[in-house]
Amino acid sequence: MNLFKRVFGDREPPPALDDSTFGSMVFLRRDGCWENTTFSFWGASDVQLLVDGGPDGPTEAQRVAFATLRDSRDALLPRCLDALSRLRSEMAMPEGEFVVRGLTIPSLEPSSDGQLWTLWFDCVGEDHFWFGIQSDDEWKTIHPFADD
């Protein structure tokens, strides 16, 4: 047996599935979530979707909660963009269009971190910061942030 296999073992490819709501996904064992890097959401394509959970795949509760979020675009997206614009002006950054680039769906388990959703945005023309919106109360309140 060669040394590499003895040290690292035979690496299996990550589990994959084709979810009826979230499309083709792979399970990221280290992060404990399912990923789709070519997801379409709110008119944006190639959105990185991360769905927290175990190797059995996304839950029905996550699918239902996502459908609610997806269908709230007309009301929620302007709130998110306004909050991000206010944050950007506080940071004295140049204007630029915000584009959805990522969405993290929590496990929805009854724990402090099981309810935190994150919606990631890129600001066209700004290469240093990522911007985001987080909510842990089904989008009743939103919290904008910038991450470098």
Side-chain angles (χ1 to χ4, degrees), residues 76-135:
L76 184 57
L77 183 57
R79 286 179 52 216
C80 292
L81 295 176
D82 286 346
L84 291 172
S85 292
R86 284 192 307 276
L87 175 66
R88 178 181 50 203
S89 68
E90 291 169 9
M91 297 172 65
M93 299 186 73
E95 294 292 317
E97 179 186 8
F98 287 107
V99 179
V100 176
R101 289 292 178 229
L103 172 63
T104 301
I105 299 175
S107 67
L108 300 179
E109 295 295 318
S111 67
S112 60
D113 63 345
Q115 306 299 318
L116 185 63
W117 293 71
T118 304
L119 190 54
W120 291 93
F121 291 82
D122 189 18
C123 182
V124 175
E126 171 32 60
D127 295 330
H128 185 73
F129 288 96
W130 279 83
F131 294 85
I133 298 286
Q134 291 186 316
S135 180

Side-chain angles (χ1 to χ4, degrees), residues 11-64:
R11 295 199 84 135
E12 294 180 28
L17 60 81
D18 190 21
D19 188 83
S20 60
T21 300
F22 302 122
S24 287
M25 306 184 85
V26 295
F27 184 61
L28 305 177
R29 290 181 184 100
R30 174 178 282 166
D31 298 319
C33 66
W34 289 87
E35 178 186 48
N36 178 343
T37 58
T38 60
F39 195 66
S40 293
F41 180 67
W42 284 357
S45 58
D46 294 331
V47 171
Q48 181 186 29
L49 173 67
L50 298 173
V51 181
D52 289 347
D56 292 335
T59 65
E60 190 58 28
Q62 288 170 313
R63 289 183 193 92
V64 169

